[in-house]
Amino acid sequence: NPFHSSAALIFEGPLPAICFLELYDGMGKFLKKERVNSPQTTINRHELGIGIYFFRLVDDKGPISRGKFIID
């Protein structure tokens, strides 16, 4: 579902002690990387324009989860 100002991402199960959320635009261009400290994290729109975005949750061993969201 599209969001306008912010959205919560909720990951199931325990997360590794150190993991990061990587954000990519609709063309696959890397935008930013943020440390994730809990199974729920918030994505704020801030400088993100309207469009489709992809994310990956990663730790030092590689991807844990991935998905996409739409900003309207």
Side-chain angles (χ1 to χ4, degrees):
N1 292 333
F3 74 91
H4 299 283
S5 59
S6 66
L9 296 178
I10 301 170
F11 301 101
E12 294 184 14
L15 296 180
I18 300 175
C19 59
F20 296 90
L21 182 70
E22 297 177 344
L23 186 61
Y24 300 85
D25 69 12
M27 299 299 289
K29 178 182 172 191
F30 175 80
L31 299 174
K32 65 181 178 176
K33 183 176 184 175
E34 297 179 2
R35 185 168 180 172
V36 175
N37 297 314
S38 71
Q40 180 173 327
T41 190
T42 301
I43 294 181
N44 293 304
R45 181 176 180 171
H46 294 297
E47 70 279 354
L48 301 175
I50 292 172
I52 297 174
Y53 293 86
F54 299 94
F55 67 86
R56 291 190 329 157
L57 186 66
V58 300
D59 66 4
D60 61 342
K61 297 175 186 163
I64 300 169
S65 181
R66 63 185 74 211
K68 66 181 174 181
F69 59 90
I70 299 170
I71 296 179
D72 184 10

